[in-house]
Amino acid sequence: MNIDRVAVIGAGVMGAGIAAHLANAGITVDLLDVVPKQGDNRNAIAEGAIAKLLKAEPQPFMHPQNARLLTPGNIEDDLARLAKADWVIEAVIEDLAIKQTLYQKIDAVCRPNTLISSNTSTLPLSLLTRNQPDSFKRRFMITHFFNPPRYMRLLELVASPELDEGLLKTVSIFADVKLGKGCVLCNDTPGFIANRIGTFWIQTALLEAIAMQLTVEQCDAAMTLFGIPKTGIFGLLDLVGLDLMPHILDSFKHTLPANDQLNQIAEVPTLLQTMIAKGLTGRKGQGGFYRLQPGVGHKVKQAIDLQSGEYHPSEKFAIKGVSHQTNDLRMFLTGDEALSRYVWRVLSATLNYTAGLIPEIAADIVAVDTAMRLGYNWRYGPFELLDAFGVDWFVEQLAQEQRPIPELLATRQSLYRVANAALQFRDKSGAYLPVQRPEGVLLLSDIKRHGLPVLTNASASLWDIGDGIVCLEFHSKMNTLDTDSLGLIQQSIGVIKQGFKGLVIYNEAEHFSAGANLTLLVPAIIQQDWETVKAIIKLGQQSYQLLKCAPFPVVGAPSGLALGGGCEILLHCDAIQAHAELYVGLVEVGVGLVPGWGGCKELLRRWQAFPKRPGGPMPFIAQTFETIGLAKVSKSAQEARELLFLSKNDGITMNKDRLLADAKVRALALVPGYKPPEPTLYILPGASARAALDIAARNMLLAGKASAYDVEISQQLAYVLTGGDTDITQTLTEQDLLDLELKAFLTLVQQPGTLARLEHMLKTGKALRN
């Protein structure tokens, strides 16, 4: 069975978001809701939801044109459409009676082999299917998406014994490959996996912070040490909405045993009640634990005092002297400082509670770790974190405090191990079983657990991923590129020539690369050491050109941010296999520069090869000028194709866990008969075209769309893209374009405006418009 058409019933925030993400996968979707009580438009609710999707931030659609795959309707007039659906997703209000009545209507219309599922996060499957016929039970399950559905990778699946195994397999593969989801099979228990643990963690952290009289900034900073996203606890509460917490806690009170540890802490603090009553519900309200207030020329971030309820200017709290090394984290957790005691109380309670839930909520620890990594964006799942601390050490701390020790941890054995070159996990019986990866999934982290790199230094490593293909991994902060990164690129080329077939450039960090490491450039600029600046630019140019001309295929496999130099390295690859969430662009103008590692040359080449339009070379020069000059960054891989950062032949992978395997397949396919690309020749018009681009830049200044210094940068960019002092009768080589990039770069780094932009970016992380 294939899933080609889906119906989503319920056009609220979740239902509409699920529909949008299905459209991102190229699926035709019927989005239905009730008929409004007022007005003549019977489809108004679904139509309004689609209109909101197109305006929402973060954007639910990977491209606005995907909205065309959504057809609005209502459940009174259009239920017959469900006869064409392969999968029907119910996402209506969390009311059991309403859902069960709807199921009877759906069941009567759908084909016998159509999967029907609920997106519920609170109602158990046993209640949803109660009094339903066996024919319904065999095709009904829970498919719990996390919000926002485009960006959150977790999909919790709850299936009854009666469910047709073929339908479970079909939806699991579809959600994995087409929607990019990490599918986790959960038991039919309250909150399933992620929200059961996540709610306990958040509630514990909130109550302990109030009790210990700490600040929200302190608590959030401390949590991030342990792989929690930068939102921390209080930023996360603001994001999801403070008003949801009482409802979630109340739901658990009604569904969990009274003696469950979560129910024992399920009180809503007075502070939270007061904030909700005042409309301080987080980002969707008038602020929450943090808020932005108008200031002089900019907004001022404020944080609430957990004791008084009053706001004060928020100051970033830094914890110094603590690395992510195990010994440092242990020392921090066992320290006498209030913040150390706070984090220990929160983490130890959460990890202890979680260990006691196996096998109640899931069959094994792998499911729990996956759910928390994908559903809450934790860097490590709870059991991975326990292993990082050391199970024996953790249990010893509990024993010293005379706290109960869960059966799973009683043996004090590690929870994961590598044996026979494979990752294994420990079950409750104490046996170690292999971690099963779906077919088509290849993780660099698995390879790194049981092997040594072919080459390595502080910023990059080269790994053998099998079948004659190696993987170049960047691992500096934000994967910024420096002399170590570039040096390892050049080393790798020699090694690959001797013993391998091809190269994939990939890493499993949040972002592919934030570009060149600016901290290398700024000191040299301040000291006016132009020779060092020149050497860095020439090293990057040389490294990327060597990659482009290597006698083996090179495939880029980016995910997340690929900016500046990170974008440029992709432009020099033979092919790109991109994760769907790719935010790629040449953003150098934001720091007062132009691309210097071949970015101008390569993007110009792509636009030059694009289907010709009338007007000679000017259209493709103008397109390149606009893309670089406005620092355009794609909001998805789909959009990157429009900007020509990806070609029509480059691939897109929806599931990040499949990206490396897909890129490896792509590299192997290029191996037979591989020849490096022929050098590109450029015929550019020179000064005449430059004058036209200068007029365009000055018009943008007059319209308030560009700053005075933007115009100066654009003049240097135009100099490169029009071929410098050439004219239409001359032919330029790739090296000529690289020389122009270098000249423009060296001109700009000597300007005070560029130094101001660079320093501002390093200090604030934001672009300066001077």
Side-chain angles (χ1 to χ4, degrees), residues 502-524:
L503 172 66
V504 170
I505 305 174
Y506 163 90
N507 61 71
E508 286 174 356
E510 182 180 0
H511 300 299
F512 178 74
S513 174
N517 186 344
L518 297 180
T519 58
L520 293 176
L521 281 173
V522 171

Side-chain angles (χ1 to χ4, degrees), residues 118-139:
S118 173
N119 184 58
T120 185
S121 60
T122 58
L123 295 172
L125 184 69
S126 57
L127 278 182
L128 294 174
T129 57
R130 190 172 62 188
N131 301 325
Q132 299 289 350
D134 290 343
S135 59
F136 179 80
K137 293 178 181 177
R138 67 165 288 279
R139 58 162 165 172

Side-chain angles (χ1 to χ4, degrees), residues 629-662:
L630 296 179
K632 289 186 177 182
V633 176
S634 71
K635 295 177 181 176
S636 67
Q638 193 176 349
E639 194 173 289
R641 278 187 172 148
E642 285 192 351
L643 297 172
L644 295 199
F645 292 125
L646 297 186
S647 76
K648 63 180 180 180
N649 297 319
D650 289 329
I652 297 175
T653 298
M654 289 292 281
N655 192 329
K656 190 175 180 180
D657 288 348
R658 295 181 173 273
L659 183 57
L660 180 57
D662 288 352

Side-chain angles (χ1 to χ4, degrees), residues 489 493 503 505 543-550 554 569 572:
I489 288 172
I493 291 170
L503 172 66
I505 305 174
S543 301
Y544 287 6
Q545 281 296 99
L546 286 172
L547 266 184
K548 182 178 179 179
C549 301
V554 179
I569 196 170
H572 286 79

Side-chain angles (χ1 to χ4, degrees), residues 67-144:
R68 292 181 289 186
L69 291 171
L70 270 57
T71 303
N74 68 79
I75 57 176
E76 290 184 22
D77 304 328
D78 302 309
L79 213 59
R81 287 195 215 160
L82 272 56
K84 298 179 181 179
D86 303 304
W87 180 14
V88 176
I89 303 172
E90 168 269 304
V92 303
I93 188 172
E94 295 288 82
D95 184 295
L96 183 61
I98 290 174
K99 288 178 186 286
Q100 290 185 328
T101 300
L102 179 61
Y103 296 156
Q104 292 173 1
K105 295 178 181 178
I106 294 172
D107 194 30
V109 175
C110 291
R111 301 192 308 269
N113 63 340
T114 297
L115 174 70
I116 302 170
S117 73
S118 173
N119 184 58
T120 185
S121 60
T122 58
L123 295 172
L125 184 69
S126 57
L127 278 182
L128 294 174
T129 57
R130 190 172 62 188
N131 301 325
Q132 299 289 350
D134 290 343
S135 59
F136 179 80
K137 293 178 181 177
R138 67 165 288 279
R139 58 162 165 172
F140 181 83
M141 65 185 299
I142 290 173
T143 52
H144 179 220

Side-chain angles (χ1 to χ4, degrees), residues 8 10-11 15-16 19 29-33 46 49-50 53 70-74 81:
V8 178
V29 184
D30 290 292
L31 180 62
L32 311 182
D33 209 304
I50 296 171
L53 287 170
L70 270 57
T71 303
N74 68 79
R81 287 195 215 160

